[in-house]
């Protein structure tokens, strides 16, 4: 049974930083590209960042480029999202997702992902 468990969310002031983690189990982690998505109240879920299975390729939404950084540790089956210079508009529930792939792809759409975590709340106060 595949499980993705996010952690690290919380309340932070604008300009601050948070580091999200997503621990995966029940899958061969190094065979999966990983992504982070978020959903703000009243809005659709949107792409934030993705990383290839090797960690060599990454992709970011324009809204977070230069502020967020995705990384992974395949020895610990964990993917991270370092979020700096947080803004009030970053407030959302953040989800990690996994998709099996043999390529170095970094999928950016929801339908490309096979497994999802339950999400972790990030609230940025202005």
């Amino acid at each position: 049974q595949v499980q993705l468990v996010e952690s690290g969310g919380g309340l932070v002031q604008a300009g601050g930083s948070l580091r999200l983690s997503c621990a995966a189990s029940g899958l061969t982690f190094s065979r999966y590209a990983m992504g982070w998505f978020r959903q703000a109240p009243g809005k659709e879920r949107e792409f934030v960042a993705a990383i290839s299975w090797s960690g060599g390729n990454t992709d970011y939404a324009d809204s977070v480029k230069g502020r967020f950084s995705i990384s992974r540790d395949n020895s610990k089956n964990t993917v991270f999202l370092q979020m700096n210079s947080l803004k009030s508009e970053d407030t959302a529930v953040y989800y990690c997702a996994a998709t099996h792939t043999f390529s170095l792809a970094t999928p950016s759409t929801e339908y490309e992902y096979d497994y999802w975590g339950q999400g972790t709340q990030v609230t940025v106060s202005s």
Side-chain angles (χ1 to χ4, degrees), residues 58-69:
T58 58
D59 189 20
Y60 298 90
D62 288 343
S63 59
V64 306
K65 279 181 182 176
R67 301 188 298 122
F68 290 12
S69 177

Side-chain angles (χ1 to χ4, degrees), residues 83-101:
M83 305 186 295
N84 299 326
S85 302
L86 283 161
K87 306 174 181 179
S88 57
E89 50 262 47
D90 295 318
T91 294
V93 177
Y94 283 71
Y95 300 90
C96 73
T99 180
H100 188 269
T101 178

Side-chain angles (χ1 to χ4, degrees), residues 111-126:
Y111 74 87
E112 296 179 273
Y113 285 87
D114 305 311
Y115 303 104
W116 292 83
Q118 293 299 306
T120 185
Q121 176 70 47
V122 172
T123 303
V124 184
S125 63
S126 56

